[in-house]
Amino acid sequence: MLDLLIVSCASLLAGLIDAIVGGGGLVLVPTLFAAYPAMPPATLLGTNKSASVWGTFIAAVQYSRQAPMRWPVLLPAAAAALLGSLGGAWTVTQVEPDFLRRLLPLILIAVLAYTLARKDLGRIHAPRYALRGEQLAASLIGLGIGWYDGFFGPGTGSFFIFLFVRLLGYDFLNASAAAKLLNVATNVAAIALFAAKEHVWWQAGLVMAAANVAGSLIGTRLALRHGAGFVRGAFILVVSALILKTGYDAFFK
């Protein structure tokens, strides 16, 4: 019960972070591995997904009520993200993702440096394409990052947000809202695969899901209240933490 309380608190914090900018896995996944060291890693990862998908879904719903979600753009992108995630999960059964471990921190450093250099990046919401062009670009982002999520995973939400800001002209708030919808799609694909192989601990996942939803509600309200500048700051913090975590995993672990 104490272990379940600990991972539930971690799930609440992860839900809060995920709702604002993604990256809740930085909190929840290490906590699960520390609390249940004897549990198979695949089961812990599947259980993490089974909890976090609910917080992400609730965040997407909350954003849709307050932020102008571009459904004709985002629904095809979410479908592409789901297909990409399935493709990435299949690819990881054929090819080891180890080559990405050392490349990922470098990519994240480039993302952080670009964001810091462009002070105005993501502060104004000004989509730069006509509908068909935006649909195509968003679907390509969904397919590519969805594949990455199924194949490897860390930083998926941050990559979604950065590309929606940089390529499509969204501000950070609207990009975060879009990322939630696409993240739901990639998580659903992952859960389906984990569940098919019986790698989800549903009892613990249900308790953690309730905590994750509570954190998600708090995080969404913070983001909507404080706007794009607040989300941009959270994005910088989360990407910095991802650089430290993935850099440690790649070069020192």
Side-chain angles (χ1 to χ4, degrees), residues 20 33 78 100 125 142 155 169 181 185 193 207 224 234:
I20 299 171
F33 275 80
L100 277 176
H125 185 61
L181 184 64
L193 290 166
V207 177
L224 290 170

Side-chain angles (χ1 to χ4, degrees), residues 71-88:
W71 295 112
V73 172
L74 296 179
L75 290 178
L82 190 150
L83 292 175
S85 182
L86 290 172

